[in-house]
Amino acid sequence: MAKLFVVPTPIGNLEDMTFRAIRILKEVDFILAEDTRTSGHLLKHFEIQNKLQAYHKFNEHKQVEGLIDRIRNSQTVALISDAGTPGISDPGYLLIKNCIDNDIEVECLPGATALIPAIVNSGLPNDRFIFEGFLPQKKGRQKRIDALKEEPKTLVLYESPHRLLKTLSQLLEFFNENRRVCVARELSKLHEENFRGTFTEAIKHFSSKNIKGEIVLVVEGYNG
Ligand code: SAM
C-alpha cells in the first residue's frame, strides 16, 4: 500500500516518542530523514532497524520525483526531521504536496512539536493564534514585523538564541511596550525555562545571561 507517514520525533525529551511512532518507523519500507546521523542515534535508542535515506532542504527538489515513483510502487515511507514534526519549519511540505497531487495517502501522526507546549505554557490567549515560524533574517524582516504589529491574535515565533535579544528589541520598537511575552526555552529538556513578562523585562532578564538552547517566542496580540 503506497503511503507517506509523517512522524514527529522528540524535541528534547526522548520519553515524548510515541508507541505508534516507533511501530510505524519499524514497519515502513524505508525512512527519509533530515539528518541520517542524528536520526540514526534516535533509531538506535528505540531499537528500530530500518533503511535511512537523506531528505533535506538541499536535496528535496532533486529527490521528490524519484520518491513519488518509489512510493507509488506500493511502498510505505516515513518522513522524520531532526526534531518535532516534519513540515513545521522543517522539510516536508514539498513531498507531502507531491504525494497528495499524485493520490498517495498522507498521514501525519500526532506528536512532538515546539509551538504547542510554548503557547500553552505562555498563559496568553490560545483559543486563536498565528504561527510565523522564523522571521526573515535580513531582507523583509522589518516589513514582516511591521505587518504583524496590529495582529490581534497571539503570535508564535521560532527563534535562535543568538538572535533573541535583537528580535525582542525590534519587537519592542514596533509593538506596544506593555505587551506580554513568553520566552519558552529548552522545552521538555533539563533546563526548560518559560520566562513571562514585558519586552523590557525579557530583554533585561536575558541580557545578563549567556543565552543557550532552543527558543519559542510567544507574544500577546494587539489590543488597541
Ligand atoms: N519541526 C520542529 C517543530 O515541530 O517544532 C521545528 C524545527 S525548527 C528547525 C527548530 C526550532 O524549533 C528551534 O530553533 C526553536 O525555535 C524550536 N524548538 C525546537 N525544539 C525546541 C525546544 N525543545 N524548546 C524550544 N524551542 C524549540
Side-chain angles (χ1 to χ4, degrees):
M1 185 192 55
K3 185 162 176 173
L4 170 70
F5 289 97
V6 182
V7 180
T9 55
I11 58 163
N13 191 326
L14 288 177
E15 290 180 11
D16 294 333
M17 188 76 174
T18 69
F19 292 118
R20 190 150 79 102
I22 296 171
R23 179 177 62 77
I24 296 292
L25 292 177
K26 283 181 177 168
E27 287 178 1
V28 289
D29 294 311
F30 65 105
I31 300 170
L32 295 171
E34 188 182 4
D35 182 326
T36 51
R37 249 181 69 172
T38 305
S39 295
H41 297 307
L42 182 87
L43 299 196
K44 196 166 171 217
H45 179 86
F46 290 104
E47 296 175 356
I48 298 164
Q49 284 165 358
N50 205 334
K51 292 182 281 294
L52 270 182
Q53 185 178 319
Y55 180 86
H56 44 67
K57 64 179 176 189
F58 304 107
N59 73 1
E60 59 178 350
H61 287 272
K62 222 164 64 191
Q63 285 223 57
V64 75
E65 212 174 298
L67 283 170
I68 293 295
D69 282 344
R70 269 175 84 186
I71 305 170
R72 231 206 240 115
N73 216 6
S74 293
Q75 293 224 305
T76 55
V77 56
L79 173 67
I80 57 178
S81 61
D82 288 353
T85 301
I88 301 297
S89 298
D90 264 343
Y93 167 76
L94 187 71
L95 181 62
I96 293 163
K97 184 180 181 312
N98 274 271
C99 283
I100 294 167
D101 290 348
N102 285 280
D103 293 323
I104 294 167
E105 208 183 322
V106 174
E107 182 177 349
C108 178
L109 274 57
T113 187
L115 72 120
I116 298 298
I119 191 164
V120 174
N121 281 342
S122 74
L124 294 169
N126 59 19
D127 49 344
R128 297 164 79 209
F129 62 87
I130 62 162
F131 173 62
E132 281 281 323
F134 291 98
L135 287 171
Q137 283 183 30
K138 289 197 178 90
K139 199 166 169 276
R141 185 178 168 91
Q142 302 225 345
K143 204 171 155 197
R144 180 78 62 85
I145 297 176
D146 191 50
L148 291 167
K149 72 180 179 202
E150 292 190 0
E151 168 57 59
K153 298 185 200 82
T154 301
L155 169 66
V156 185
L157 296 171
Y158 281 170
E159 196 45 279
S160 77
H162 63 270
R163 265 194 307 272
L164 175 67
L165 286 173
K166 177 183 169 188
T167 300
L168 286 170
S169 305
Q170 286 183 322
L171 291 175
L172 172 63
E173 191 185 314
F174 280 81
F175 291 23
N176 179 325
E177 69 169 3
N178 294 323
R179 282 220 225 165
R180 288 174 297 164
V181 59
C182 176
V183 180
R185 199 174 62 82
E186 295 288 81
L187 290 162
S188 82
K189 301 186 198 176
L190 192 61
H191 298 292
E192 170 164 346
E193 174 186 21
N194 291 279
F195 178 88
R196 304 173 185 88
T198 61
F199 286 126
T200 311
E201 286 164 347
I203 291 167
K204 189 168 169 228
H205 175 81
F206 286 102
S207 294
S208 60
K209 290 181 176 216
N210 175 15
I211 310 165
K212 284 192 188 138
E214 301 192 276
I215 288 166
V216 184
L217 257 178
V218 187
V219 182
E220 183 180 17
Y222 176 74
N223 52 21

